[in-house]
Amino acid sequence: MVKMTDKLIPDIVVGRLPRYLRAIQQMSKEGFQTTSSQVLGERLGISAAQIRKDLSQFGEFGKQGTGYPIPYLIQQLQHILKINRKWEMVLVGVGDLGHAIARYQGFANGGFHITMVFDNDPKKIGSQVGDYIVKDIALLDQNVRAAGIKIAMLTVPASEAQTVADCLVQSGIQSILNYAPVTLTVPPHVHVQNIDPVINLQRMTYYLD
Amino acid sequence: MVKMTDKLIPDIVVGRLPRYLRAIQQMSKEGFQTTSSQVLGERLGISAAQIRKDLSQFGEFGKQGTGYPIPYLIQQLQHILKINRKWEMVLVGVGDLGHAIARYQGFANGGFHITMVFDNDPKKIGSQVGDYIVKDIALLDQNVRAAGIKIAMLTVPASEAQTVADCLVQSGIQSILNYAPVTLTVPPHVHVQNIDPVINLQRMTYYLD
DNA sequence: TAGATTGTTAATCGATTAACAATC
DNA sequence: TAGATTGTTAATCGATTAACAATC
């Protein structure tokens, strides 16, 4: 049955979809043609019921008795997550981490591509990092706006992160992957995801002794 | 009143504590002596009621009328998270990302320190990365065991991550911060946290158009 | 057909919020 | 004292799980 209305999907469900996609892409690489909520659940440490419930929010992708066809499910998940296209991104901040990200090969098959790289350090502007020539951050607004880029990765020092984020929002950026260890303040239409290893580590030490 | 019993704290509560700590450390740096659940909540985008409830699971840190004394709350949170000591860590995998992490200055005031760095590439073994000489991964087990290290950061290629993780577990590691885009399988006593930018990005594209 | 597995409902479980007495 | 804010309880809200008819 075709879904006619756009139900509101809980954010926590959306957050699991990329993990489902990653797992079935892995299974595809291993040569499997179909999978089941049970098998997927075991691989991901998630209950089979939850996987079925999550997927059923978006459509009926499986068959009773045989499970889910992998190529079809990959295609559907990519469609749902809107990664059945290539998203252009900008990277701001070319320290060690920005350098590593600029050279990371893993974005391409996730649906992403870094288009431009910026920094404010005159010593870095004009230099080559990976396949990119570092641009002056003063040119960020006009470049991002002209290219209609929606996604930014932020790898500047914590002290500059909010200022640069403001500038990104001003330029039309709607999604920020923030590597700086600060809580960014942005308008409601802008989505922020944080990557902060210290937070992850501190969460684990609670369970150590 | 002193807590006599160790209640079981939900993992989701533990996961918020490092963010509370980060926020009040920031306030401390800004010169504040006290804060309230209200102010903290506004900074973090979390309800005041939730912050009070979370903190009250561990003790009574505040005063009616005046809120929470910042230095005391910092101290208490560090104690709860067991980061009132310095945790030694190993880093495995010296690609671009491992390189960036080895040189990252942000671990120290989070309560962490990288003790050793490993790789299996003969061209890298013996070379200097940050303050470290890269060691042969074949020596990982004896080194980690001898030093009693409990925490590892994993920055090897996806194809090798599970094998190296097995090796880490074997060596006595109990917490793994995994940067490889795979779901690791580990025994129940080992905690894993994943950092995977593509997952974060795919979660945000759902909301773009 | 017989066995397997979906999609979905209802029940359970857990987390968040609202409200307020206590009290600084 | 009067105002502010905690710690905690009860109410609400949302997420997960169990169960099973439908059906491949």
Side-chain angles (χ1 to χ4, degrees):
Chain A
M1 191 202 180
V2 179
K3 304 269 158 168
M4 282 298 135
T5 52
D6 276 11
K7 271 173 303 160
L8 191 68
I9 308 291
D11 186 54
I12 196 163
V13 173
V14 175
R16 281 191 292 260
L17 299 184
R19 299 180 55 206
Y20 297 165
L21 176 57
R22 162 114 342 127
I24 58 171
Q25 282 174 328
Q26 175 63 28
M27 289 193 73
S28 178
K29 233 171 56 183
E30 291 170 17
F32 293 93
Q33 294 296 318
T34 62
T35 189
S36 67
S37 57
Q38 168 106 47
V39 168
L40 215 44
E42 276 162 19
R43 289 199 171 218
L44 288 164
I46 291 178
S47 80
Q50 179 156 85
I51 290 173
R52 290 202 301 280
K53 187 127 210 279
D54 285 353
L55 294 177
S56 75
Q57 304 249 29
F58 300 95
E60 301 184 345
F61 306 131
K63 270 204 189 69
Q64 287 98 330
T66 59
Y68 300 91
I70 285 180
Y72 177 66
L73 189 52
I74 289 176
Q75 193 185 34
Q76 290 298 307
L77 282 172
Q78 288 177 329
H79 175 74
I80 293 163
L81 291 169
K82 304 209 183 83
I83 52 173
N84 52 345
R85 68 186 90 170
K86 192 65 90 184
W87 289 95
E88 300 296 335
M89 307 188 289
V90 291
L91 172 65
V92 190
V94 189
D96 285 323
L97 183 59
H99 199 271
I101 290 172
R103 291 162 50 90
Y104 181 52
Q105 298 304 305
F107 292 122
N109 62 10
F112 301 95
H113 177 250
I114 297 174
T115 308
M116 299 179 258
V117 173
F118 293 90
D119 204 295
N120 70 348
D121 182 346
K123 289 197 283 295
K124 290 174 182 165
I125 294 165
S127 72
Q128 181 146 9
V129 171
D131 296 334
Y132 310 97
I133 302 295
V134 178
K135 300 190 187 205
D136 187 340
I137 204 169
L139 305 173
L140 189 144
D141 186 84
Q142 68 178 82
N143 277 268
V144 168
R145 199 179 293 278
I149 294 171
K150 302 276 180 56
I151 305 174
M153 291 188 286
L154 190 52
T155 52
V156 302
S159 54
E160 299 178 37
Q162 183 61 57
T163 306
V164 176
D166 293 344
C167 176
L168 288 166
V169 169
Q170 187 59 32
S171 310
I173 289 291
Q174 289 172 24
S175 299
I176 299 175
L177 184 56
N178 173 41
Y179 282 82
V182 293
T183 302
L184 298 178
T185 301
V186 297
H189 74 279
V190 178
H191 284 259
V192 176
Q193 293 268 301
N194 296 291
I195 289 184
D196 186 338
V198 170
I199 297 284
N200 284 283
L201 290 167
Q202 289 180 338
R203 189 179 175 156
M204 291 194 289
T205 48
Y206 177 82
Y207 299 99
L208 290 175
D209 41 37
Chain B
M1 192 203 177
V2 179
K3 304 267 161 172
M4 282 298 137
T5 52
D6 276 12
K7 269 174 305 162
L8 190 69
I9 308 291
D11 185 55
I12 197 163
V13 174
V14 176
R16 282 191 291 261
L17 299 185
R19 300 179 55 206
Y20 298 165
L21 176 57
R22 162 113 344 126
I24 59 171
Q25 282 175 327
Q26 175 63 27
M27 289 193 72
S28 179
K29 233 171 57 182
E30 293 170 17
F32 293 93
Q33 292 296 317
T34 62
T35 189
S36 67
S37 57
Q38 168 107 45
V39 168
L40 215 44
E42 275 163 18
R43 291 202 170 214
L44 288 164
I46 290 178
S47 80
Q50 179 156 87
I51 290 173
R52 290 202 302 280
K53 188 127 209 278
D54 285 351
L55 293 177
S56 75
Q57 304 249 29
F58 300 94
E60 302 185 344
F61 306 130
K63 269 204 188 70
Q64 288 98 326
T66 60
Y68 300 91
I70 285 179
Y72 178 64
L73 190 50
I74 289 176
Q75 195 184 34
Q76 290 298 309
L77 282 172
Q78 288 177 330
H79 174 74
I80 293 164
L81 292 169
K82 304 208 182 86
I83 52 173
N84 53 345
R85 67 188 90 169
K86 191 64 88 184
W87 289 95
E88 301 297 335
M89 308 188 289
V90 290
L91 172 64
V92 190
V94 189
D96 285 323
L97 184 58
H99 199 271
I101 290 172
R103 291 161 50 89
Y104 182 53
Q105 298 303 304
F107 292 120
N109 62 11
F112 301 94
H113 177 250
I114 297 174
T115 308
M116 299 179 254
V117 172
F118 293 90
D119 204 294
N120 69 348
D121 182 345
K123 288 198 284 295
K124 289 173 183 165
I125 295 165
S127 72
Q128 181 147 10
V129 171
D131 297 334
Y132 309 96
I133 302 294
V134 178
K135 299 190 186 203
D136 187 339
I137 203 169
L139 305 173
L140 190 144
D141 186 83
Q142 68 179 83
N143 277 269
V144 168
R145 200 180 291 278
I149 294 171
K150 301 279 179 56
I151 306 175
M153 292 188 286
L154 190 52
T155 53
V156 301
S159 55
E160 299 177 38
Q162 183 62 57
T163 305
V164 176
D166 293 343
C167 176
L168 288 166
V169 171
Q170 187 60 30
S171 309
I173 289 290
Q174 289 172 25
S175 299
I176 300 175
L177 184 55
N178 173 41
Y179 283 83
V182 292
T183 303
L184 297 179
T185 302
V186 297
H189 74 278
V190 178
H191 285 257
V192 175
Q193 293 268 301
N194 296 290
I195 290 185
D196 186 338
V198 170
I199 297 284
N200 284 284
L201 290 167
Q202 290 180 338
R203 188 179 177 155
M204 290 195 289
T205 48
Y206 177 83
Y207 299 99
L208 291 176
D209 40 38

PDB file of all heavy atoms in Angstrom, chain B residues 37 62 74 87 98 111 127 187:
ATOM      1  N   SER B  37      19.850  25.212  37.076  1.00  0.00           N
ATOM      2  CA  SER B  37      19.390  24.258  36.068  1.00  0.00           C
ATOM      3  C   SER B  37      18.798  24.997  34.872  1.00  0.00           C
ATOM      4  O   SER B  37      18.928  24.564  33.732  1.00  0.00           O
ATOM      5  CB  SER B  37      18.356  23.317  36.679  1.00  0.00           C
ATOM      6  OG  SER B  37      17.277  24.043  37.228  1.00  0.00           O
ATOM      7  N   GLY B  62      23.054  21.161  44.768  1.00  0.00           N
ATOM      8  CA  GLY B  62      22.617  22.552  44.695  1.00  0.00           C
ATOM      9  C   GLY B  62      22.000  23.053  45.991  1.00  0.00           C
ATOM     10  O   GLY B  62      21.862  22.307  46.957  1.00  0.00           O
ATOM     11  N   ILE B  74      31.728  20.891  39.230  1.00  0.00           N
ATOM     12  CA  ILE B  74      32.775  20.365  38.346  1.00  0.00           C
ATOM     13  C   ILE B  74      33.463  19.184  39.015  1.00  0.00           C
ATOM     14  O   ILE B  74      33.606  18.099  38.443  1.00  0.00           O
ATOM     15  CB  ILE B  74      33.816  21.458  38.000  1.00  0.00           C
ATOM     16  CG1 ILE B  74      33.202  22.499  37.061  1.00  0.00           C
ATOM     17  CG2 ILE B  74      35.075  20.851  37.376  1.00  0.00           C
ATOM     18  CD1 ILE B  74      34.113  23.667  36.739  1.00  0.00           C
ATOM     19  N   TRP B  87      43.524   9.054  32.686  1.00  0.00           N
ATOM     20  CA  TRP B  87      43.399   7.750  32.041  1.00  0.00           C
ATOM     21  C   TRP B  87      44.401   7.634  30.896  1.00  0.00           C
ATOM     22  O   TRP B  87      44.466   8.499  30.031  1.00  0.00           O
ATOM     23  CB  TRP B  87      41.989   7.548  31.486  1.00  0.00           C
ATOM     24  CG  TRP B  87      40.959   7.348  32.549  1.00  0.00           C
ATOM     25  CD1 TRP B  87      40.157   8.303  33.097  1.00  0.00           C
ATOM     26  CD2 TRP B  87      40.622   6.114  33.197  1.00  0.00           C
ATOM     27  NE1 TRP B  87      39.326   7.746  34.043  1.00  0.00           N
ATOM     28  CE2 TRP B  87      39.590   6.399  34.122  1.00  0.00           C
ATOM     29  CE3 TRP B  87      41.069   4.800  33.081  1.00  0.00           C
ATOM     30  CZ2 TRP B  87      39.019   5.426  34.938  1.00  0.00           C
ATOM     31  CZ3 TRP B  87      40.492   3.835  33.884  1.00  0.00           C
ATOM     32  CH2 TRP B  87      39.487   4.144  34.798  1.00  0.00           C
ATOM     33  N   GLY B  98      44.610   9.047  12.499  1.00  0.00           N
ATOM     34  CA  GLY B  98      45.401   8.675  13.666  1.00  0.00           C
ATOM     35  C   GLY B  98      46.457   9.729  13.963  1.00  0.00           C
ATOM     36  O   GLY B  98      46.713  10.082  15.116  1.00  0.00           O
ATOM     37  N   GLY B 111      40.874  14.588  30.920  1.00  0.00           N
ATOM     38  CA  GLY B 111      41.242  13.509  31.833  1.00  0.00           C
ATOM     39  C   GLY B 111      41.943  12.353  31.148  1.00  0.00           C
ATOM     40  O   GLY B 111      42.037  11.256  31.709  1.00  0.00           O
ATOM     41  N   SER B 127      58.768   5.465  13.205  1.00  0.00           N
ATOM     42  CA  SER B 127      58.720   6.883  12.836  1.00  0.00           C
ATOM     43  C   SER B 127      58.088   7.694  13.965  1.00  0.00           C
ATOM     44  O   SER B 127      57.430   7.143  14.844  1.00  0.00           O
ATOM     45  CB  SER B 127      57.918   7.078  11.554  1.00  0.00           C
ATOM     46  OG  SER B 127      56.535   6.865  11.808  1.00  0.00           O
ATOM     47  N   PRO B 187      33.026  -8.679  23.569  1.00  0.00           N
ATOM     48  CA  PRO B 187      32.369  -9.288  24.740  1.00  0.00           C
ATOM     49  C   PRO B 187      31.595  -8.226  25.531  1.00  0.00           C
ATOM     50  O   PRO B 187      31.885  -7.033  25.411  1.00  0.00           O
ATOM     51  CB  PRO B 187      33.541  -9.824  25.574  1.00  0.00           C
ATOM     52  CG  PRO B 187      34.718  -9.841  24.669  1.00  0.00           C
ATOM     53  CD  PRO B 187      34.496  -8.778  23.647  1.00  0.00           C
TER      54      PRO B 187
END
